[in-house]
């Protein structure tokens, strides 16, 4: 018998076996799924609710069972005996309710405490995944959308890393687009001879971007020159390349500051990296007969799409799609990635749909989206300010991400000082805690929403110590740590010698929720939905409060068991924080 791990998976195994014994394989039935649903909590911990579906397929061909309910009973009686399942009942038209054994759950928790939470990591057959996230455009603003991409992408990467997958974290920086022709041409024209010494800071670079963009939009002669400059750059003219490299460096320094603060690891392989692969890639597609001429451009037509995928423009330049095709080729063939995940705002859905289709047409990807190699566009909604308008800070008309991080930290520090923590802690402690809370709040406020929905950014809300906020959760964790500290017990010793009993209803509910961690991370990472994990974490803290207000810990006869439950809760919370990119604090 396995202990811990994924309860849903273990139940599924048992029911699969029973189903095989009950009805023969040739019926081609979907295996039973165990589902947990609050409505059925009174009946059991899990429920199988597809017996009716199976019955409706079976009915015309088989006279053995008289209705779904009878079939359900048969499945229950054929269920292999296991320590996991205490009892089953069939209710209604054929729902199978499963009550788990509290002894089994307690034992699983004890084992996790000894062997560590990594033994609860989801298992997957996938070995290597590319997560393409953050990916700002050089010289343009790194805006809130890039912050969302960074936070969501990092969590997806962390979920997969926890599942022992090798994750290639890729910053697909826009360092090769048309903006460079415009920027470089403007520098050459307006500031001749100054080469690349005039622009040294991100502020200057952004000013340059705005000025050259204005000229580009209003001066057709300049526009043409700028477009020509892109081609010169893309063909490797050293003067253009030198200026280009300088501009990239300024942006890189700025972006790295943000990534460092958020503790996000990322490897830059910008659009320009894939330049050497473009030629062969187009050649391959051409040999497959996919490339067509259209008004002097070379394109791939895709059924149901109004505009084709543009590989080579009529002036010889390449596009965002060209690079994405080359990058996909590289990721599949050179990096041998089985799953490639792109994290960008929902506005780019069309682009991804189109180029994924082109890749399927080329035979690079299977026709269905279930088998590997697989691609996914993880899209997300917009962030608006509290006035419901486009998000901006007081100081500027766009938000500089670094200012946003500063403000999160300043506000959380002020809240700590208000509670007198500056007198209790060293300056360093105060600073570190302010960062953990401030940045954690920012991340959680983003991750807790289903990523596809738009949300309103509010410092007041995200830094509130009640409700679904990182602040509330970090407090809950710190409180558990203080309960453990106050007991004066050596937890490492207790883990080895002590036992857990889940006798009280709240103990049992907490224990079950803890054991559902594994299936939750698995679901969140396969569906690419981090908010499921946020939801889980919030519910965990609620289960804990209910437990703590109903069950005395320190000084009670159940002290050892309950301290171990506290410890298990703290460990699972910390793993959640870790996966969400939040730094836990031990006192608050
Ligand atoms: N640079 C793009 C942007 O800022 C995002 C790139 C996403 N990755 C990709 N492979 N297309 O919108």
């Amino acid at each position: 018998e396995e202990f811990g791990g994924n309860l849903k998976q273990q139940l599924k195994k048992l029911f699969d076996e029973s189903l095989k014994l009950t009805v023969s394989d040739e019926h081609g039935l979907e295996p039973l799924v165990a589902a947990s649903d609050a409505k059925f909590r009174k009946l059991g911990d899990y429920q199988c609710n597809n017996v009716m579906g199976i019955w409706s397929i079976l009915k015309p061909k088989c006279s053995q069972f008289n209705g779904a309910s009878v079939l359900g009973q048969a499945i229950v009686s054929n269920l292999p005996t296991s320590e996991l399942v205490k009892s089953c009942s069939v209710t209604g038209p054929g729902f199978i309710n499963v009550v788990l054994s509290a002894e089994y759950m307690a034992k699983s928790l004890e084992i996790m405490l000894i062997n560590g939470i990594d033994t609860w990591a989801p298992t997957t057959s996938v070995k290597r995944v590319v997560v393409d996230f953050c990916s700002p455009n050089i010289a343009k603003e790194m805006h809130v959308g890039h912050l969302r991409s960074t936070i969501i992408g990092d969590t997806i990467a962390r979920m997969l890393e926890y599942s022992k997958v090798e994750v290639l974290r890729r910053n697909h920086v826009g360092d090769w687009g048309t903006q460079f022709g415009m920027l470089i041409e403007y520098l050459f024209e307006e500031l001749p001879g100054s080469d690349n010494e005039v622009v040294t800071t991100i502020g200057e670079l952004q000013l340059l971007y705005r000025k050259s963009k204005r000229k580009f939009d209003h001066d057709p002669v300049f526009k043409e020159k700028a477009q020509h400059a892109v081609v010169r750059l893309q063909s490797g003219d050293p003067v253009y390349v030198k200026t280009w490299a300088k501009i990239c460096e300024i942006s890189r320094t700025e972006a790295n500051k943000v990534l460092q603060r958020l503790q996000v690891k990322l490897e830059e392989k910008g659009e320009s990296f894939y330049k050497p692969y473009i030629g062969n890639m187009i050649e391959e597609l051409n040999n497959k007969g996919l490339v067509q001429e259209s008004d002097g451009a070379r394109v791939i037509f895709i059924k149901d799409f109004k505009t084709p995928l543009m590989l080579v423009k009529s002036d010889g330049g390449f596009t965002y799609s060209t690079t994405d095709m080359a990058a996909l080729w590289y990721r599949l063939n050179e990096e041998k990635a089985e799953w490639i995940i792109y994290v960008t705002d929902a506005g780019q859905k069309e682009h991804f749909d189109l180029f994924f289709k082109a890749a399927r047409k080329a035979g690079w990807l299977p026709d269905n989206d279930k088998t590997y190699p697989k691609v996914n566009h993880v899209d997300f909604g917009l962030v608006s300010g509290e006035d419901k308008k486009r998000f901006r800070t007081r100081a500027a008309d766009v938000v500089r991400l670094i200012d946003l991080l500063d403000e999160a930290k300043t506000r959380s520090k002020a809240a700590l000082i208000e509670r007198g923590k500056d007198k209790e802690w060293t300056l360093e402690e105060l600073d570190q805690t302010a960062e953990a809370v401030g940045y954690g709040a920012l991340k959680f406020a983003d991750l807790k929403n289903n990523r596809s929905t738009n949300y309103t950014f509010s410092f007041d809300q995200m830094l509130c110590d009640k409700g679904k906020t990182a602040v509330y959760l970090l407090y809950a964790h710190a409180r558990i740590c203080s309960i453990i500290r106050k007991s004066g017990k050596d937890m490492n010793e207790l883990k080895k010698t002590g036992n857990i009993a889940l006798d009280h209803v709240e103990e049992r509910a907490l224990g079950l929720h803890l054991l559902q961690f594994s299936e939750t991370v698995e679901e969140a990472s396969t569906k690419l939905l981090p908010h499921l994990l946020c939801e889980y974490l919030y519910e965990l803290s609620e289960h804990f409060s209910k437990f703590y207000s109903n069950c005395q810990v320190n000084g009670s006869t159940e002290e050892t068991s309950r301290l171990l439950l506290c410890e298990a809760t703290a460990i699972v919370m910390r793993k959640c924080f870790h996966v969400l990119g939040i730094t836990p604090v031990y006192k608050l």
Side-chain angles (χ1 to χ4, degrees), residues 254-444:
E254 174 77 3
N256 283 345
K257 270 190 229 162
V258 174
L259 294 173
Q260 209 164 35
R261 289 260 209 117
L262 292 176
Q263 293 184 26
V264 171
K265 274 189 271 151
L266 198 53
E267 188 185 330
E268 181 176 327
K269 270 198 169 53
E271 293 184 20
S272 64
F273 175 87
Y274 303 99
K275 185 182 161 251
Y277 302 93
I278 289 178
N280 284 344
M281 181 271 296
I282 295 179
E283 174 92 10
E284 184 191 318
L285 298 175
N286 195 39
N287 291 342
K288 286 182 172 162
L290 300 178
V291 184
Q292 284 176 304
E293 292 281 322
S294 171
D295 297 325
R298 304 181 73 195
V299 304
I300 301 179
F301 284 99
I302 304 288
K303 199 174 149 259
D304 298 335
F305 281 83
K306 276 192 216 93
T307 44
L309 183 128
M310 177 80 67
L311 282 174
V312 189
K313 292 189 286 184
S314 54
D315 65 3
F318 301 127
T319 69
Y320 185 48
S321 299
T322 320
T323 308
D324 258 328
M325 285 296 279
L328 179 58
W329 184 93
Y330 182 86
R331 289 163 177 179
L332 291 170
N333 296 290
E334 295 290 321
E335 296 186 315
K336 307 253 184 276
E338 291 152 283
W339 191 10
I340 299 146
I341 298 165
Y342 301 84
V343 189
T344 82
D345 62 284
Q348 297 197 35
K349 187 177 181 309
E350 278 266 318
H351 162 75
F352 286 102
D353 282 350
L354 181 65
F355 110 78
F356 290 170
K357 283 244 167 70
R360 291 192 207 288
K361 209 171 165 185
W364 297 355
L365 299 170
D367 280 331
N368 67 72
D369 52 13
K370 303 271 181 299
T371 32
Y372 296 99
K374 201 164 84 165
V375 288
N376 277 104
H377 177 217
V378 168
D379 63 358
F380 53 79
L382 300 170
V383 184
S384 60
E386 282 181 282
D387 54 2
K388 296 282 166 210
K389 293 205 198 83
R390 188 175 156 215
F391 184 59
R392 57 189 74 201
T393 51
R394 269 158 283 150
D397 55 351
V398 270
V399 184
R400 261 189 82 197
L401 292 189
I402 209 89
D403 295 339
L404 210 66
L405 300 185
D406 279 341
E407 188 161 349
K409 182 179 169 183
T410 313
R411 283 179 181 242
S412 75
K413 195 168 177 173
L416 290 170
I417 290 172
E418 204 173 297
R419 294 178 40 246
K421 295 297 171 186
D422 52 332
K423 298 184 189 70
E424 235 174 86
W425 296 346
T426 65
L427 266 180
E428 204 191 347
E429 272 180 314
L430 186 66
D431 226 53
Q432 278 172 358
T433 311
E435 272 184 21
V437 176
Y439 302 161
L442 196 71
K443 290 183 179 183
F444 193 81

Side-chain angles (χ1 to χ4, degrees), residues 32-249:
L32 285 164
V33 233
S36 119
D37 189 319
K39 269 188 282 178
F40 306 111
R41 288 266 155 79
K42 282 194 199 81
L43 299 169
D45 301 309
Y46 283 81
Q47 185 177 72
C48 294
N49 49 18
N50 58 344
V51 179
M52 287 77 79
I54 293 175
W55 171 242
S56 68
I57 304 172
L58 217 54
K59 200 176 166 182
K61 318 181 217 173
C62 141
S63 54
Q64 191 185 345
F65 307 104
N66 185 18
S69 178
V70 180
L71 174 62
Q73 292 291 358
I75 292 172
V76 168
S77 54
N78 281 329
L79 204 68
T81 47
S82 80
E83 285 183 63
L84 170 62
V85 177
K86 187 177 166 228
S87 64
C88 287
S89 61
V90 181
T91 53
F95 295 112
I96 302 178
N97 310 293
V98 183
V99 179
L100 301 183
S101 134
E103 290 71 33
Y104 174 93
M105 293 198 283
K107 183 101 187 139
S108 298
L109 292 171
E110 288 166 9
I111 291 174
M112 182 279 280
L113 284 173
I114 291 168
N115 295 340
I117 184 121
D118 286 351
T119 54
W120 280 4
T123 48
T124 160
S125 62
V126 183
K127 295 210 167 47
R128 191 176 293 146
V129 178
V130 167
V131 184
D132 174 323
F133 67 106
C134 182
S135 310
N137 299 316
I138 301 275
K140 296 189 196 169
E141 292 297 335
M142 190 172 169
H143 52 72
V144 189
H146 295 114
L147 182 65
R148 287 210 79 181
S149 174
T150 304
I151 292 171
I152 295 168
D154 183 49
T155 288
I156 287 175
R158 284 166 177 269
M159 290 195 289
L160 293 165
E161 282 155 353
Y162 177 50
S163 316
K164 301 182 190 76
V165 173
E166 184 190 351
V167 180
L168 308 179
R169 297 159 161 262
R170 292 290 180 258
N171 199 357
H172 192 84
V173 183
D175 62 356
W176 208 238
T178 42
Q179 77 264 33
F180 286 97
M182 179 179 98
L183 288 166
I184 297 172
E185 196 53 39
Y186 189 88
L187 269 182
F188 287 175
E189 271 185 25
E190 302 285 318
L191 305 150
S194 59
D195 193 5
N196 44 36
E197 293 312 313
V198 268
V199 176
T200 54
T201 66
I202 187 74
E204 287 163 350
L205 184 56
Q206 278 164 4
L207 192 64
L208 172 73
Y209 180 82
R210 258 173 262 160
K211 284 186 186 166
S212 61
K213 176 94 170 81
R214 205 175 307 137
K215 192 160 180 179
F216 186 89
D217 291 339
H218 294 104
D219 179 344
V221 181
F222 176 74
K223 185 171 174 176
E224 213 182 302
K225 280 189 191 162
Q227 281 160 344
H228 190 63
V230 184
V231 182
R232 299 264 310 254
L233 173 67
Q234 293 187 341
S235 62
D237 183 319
V239 183
Y240 287 78
V241 171
K242 191 177 167 207
T243 309
W244 165 78
K246 169 83 185 182
I247 293 174
C248 290
E249 193 48 42

Side-chain angles (χ1 to χ4, degrees), residues 510-526:
L510 175 61
L512 175 62
H513 195 73
L514 287 168
L515 280 166
Q516 286 167 331
F517 174 65
S518 183
E519 65 195 38
T520 307
V521 199
E522 177 157 321
E523 192 184 347
S525 62
T526 44

